């Protein structure tokens, strides 16, 4: 996506003042569901746009992994918001969120079989055609898998890339959760996305509860996602990275520390790549 560089932060109203005072953020990401498609934009977002900070519009409710095509009304709303924000792109999840008008309330994994992949790809193509900017697809964290998958998570990503023109928002925090909970092969997923199709990367915090790891976006950023970010940068070089925080907002110094830790992991990965070359 054009203009995305460095390390960014997810824009949330409780973080608006913190973001407004930072000159080192490469970009921000705004939740589409938190904005009024017809009303005025929040003033802090207007100021960011005037400063030339790139903005990505991030959705959670499109439901590209469902059997039904994405709602034309939802797509039109995303398109309007992207234009009003001057967004450089839209990102959404490779997820199943509703069926028959019933909302799951969660980003559920897509069944990994050929029929589901074909439906997913068709839904993605419909979304691409309706949006005025590039679309990036995010892998999701899960606590379960559908029975008898025909291919792994890397295969799902590769299949979508083969069948569509979409980009990838690679969430290494979600990947870390899936590796812990489901035994996902992280290396295969990191290698499944060509650099030219990688729009940007997410990192976020989470917490272990019993045998499971929950991607909460409300806890400190652990080493696991940062290790995966470093491994990715060692393979493809520098990539735009965005830190997500959605709840239990920490003091400014702690949040700044997580941004620095993200920059450090990215720099270590790039240095490994240079050293290997």
């Amino acid at each position: 996506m054009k203009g995305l560089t460095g390390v960014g932060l997810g824009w949330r109203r409780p973080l608006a003042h913190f973001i407004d005072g930072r000159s080192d953020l490469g970009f921000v990401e705004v939740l589409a569901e938190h904005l009024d498609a017809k009303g005025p934009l929040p003033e802090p977002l207007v100021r960011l746009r005037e400063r030339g900070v790139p903005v990505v519009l991030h959705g959670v409710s499109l439901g590209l992994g469902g059997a039904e095509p994405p709602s034309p009304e939802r797509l039109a709303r995303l398109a309007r918001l992207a234009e009003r924000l001057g967004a450089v792109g839209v990102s959404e999840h490779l997820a199943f969120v509703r069926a028959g008008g019933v909302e799951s309330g969660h980003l559920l994994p897509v069944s990994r079989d050929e029929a589901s992949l074909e439906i997913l790809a068709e839904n993605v193509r419909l979304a691409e055609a309706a949006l005025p900017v590039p679309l990036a697809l995010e892998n999701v964290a899960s606590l379960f898998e559908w029975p008898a998958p025909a291919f792994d998570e890397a295969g799902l990503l590769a299949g979508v890339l083969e069948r569509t023109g979409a980009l990838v928002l690679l969430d290494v925090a979600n990947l870390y959760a899936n590796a812990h909970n489901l035994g996902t092969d992280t290396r295969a997923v990191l290698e499944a996305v060509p650099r030219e199709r990688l729009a940007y990367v997410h990192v976020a915090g989470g917490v272990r509860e019993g045998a499971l790891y929950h991607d909460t976006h409300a806890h400190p950023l652990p080493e696991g996602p940062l290790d995966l970010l470093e491994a990715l940068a060692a393979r493809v070089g520098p990539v735009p990275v965005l830190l997500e925080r959605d709840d239990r907002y920490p003091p400014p110094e702690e949040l700044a520390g997580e941004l620095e830790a993200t920059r450090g992991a990215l720099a270590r990965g790039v240095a490994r790549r240079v050293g290997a070359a």
Side-chain angles (χ1 to χ4, degrees):
M1 289 182 179
K2 186 177 179 180
L4 299 189
T5 59
V7 173
L9 182 62
W11 191 91
R12 307 292 184 266
R13 290 182 189 272
L15 298 177
H17 181 68
F18 176 87
I19 291 173
D20 212 24
R22 304 285 298 198
S23 60
D24 60 343
L25 295 177
F27 63 108
V28 298
E29 179 191 79
V30 186
L31 287 172
E33 286 74 10
H34 288 183
L35 297 177
D36 184 342
K38 297 180 180 178
L41 294 173
E43 184 60 31
L45 281 180
V46 174
R47 288 197 297 271
L48 286 174
R49 190 176 61 179
E50 290 172 348
R51 283 168 46 191
V53 178
V55 177
V56 178
L57 183 64
H58 188 55
V60 298
S61 60
L62 196 53
L64 294 170
E68 301 168 355
S71 158
E73 291 77 17
R74 291 179 187 273
L75 287 171
R77 181 178 183 277
L78 283 174
R80 286 197 302 271
L81 279 172
E83 289 176 339
R84 294 186 61 214
L85 279 168
V88 299
V90 171
S91 55
E92 248 290 358
H93 297 80
L94 290 168
F96 168 81
V97 299
R98 72 180 60 83
V102 178
E103 300 287 334
S104 70
H106 295 278
L107 295 167
L108 301 175
V110 176
S111 178
R112 296 199 302 269
D113 56 64
E114 288 296 334
S116 296
L117 177 57
E118 287 298 331
I119 293 170
L120 172 63
E122 176 59 24
N123 289 345
V124 170
R125 289 192 291 266
L126 290 171
E128 287 184 283
L131 295 172
V133 290
L135 173 66
L137 306 171
E138 179 182 355
N139 56 304
V140 300
S142 180
L143 300 176
F144 72 92
E145 291 189 288
W146 295 103
F151 38 82
D152 59 13
E153 188 170 342
L156 178 68
L157 280 174
V160 172
L161 291 177
E162 289 171 1
R163 291 165 172 80
T164 73
L167 303 171
V168 173
L169 160 50
L170 186 58
D171 191 316
V172 293
N174 289 348
L175 180 55
Y176 175 72
N178 290 347
H180 182 86
N181 296 334
L182 307 173
T184 298
D185 184 343
T186 59
R187 181 173 179 177
V189 173
L190 294 180
E191 293 179 350
V193 185
R195 177 62 185 91
E196 64 271 14
R197 302 291 291 275
L198 181 60
Y200 63 111
V201 178
H202 270 174
V203 294
V207 64
R208 283 187 174 84
E209 292 183 359
L212 295 174
Y213 180 85
H214 296 268
D215 173 56
T216 64
H217 299 186
H219 291 83
L221 179 60
E223 289 298 321
L226 294 177
D227 290 342
L228 291 176
L229 173 60
E230 180 179 338
L232 176 66
R235 187 178 75 83
V236 302
V239 292
V241 188
L242 184 122
L243 172 65
E244 293 184 291
R245 188 75 179 224
D246 294 331
D247 203 356
R248 298 183 181 180
Y249 299 103
E253 59 272 15
E254 184 177 331
L255 193 59
E258 293 195 347
L259 289 169
E260 283 305 310
T262 302
R263 290 190 183 93
L266 188 60
R268 289 193 300 274
V270 172
R272 282 171 51 188
R273 177 177 171 80
V274 172

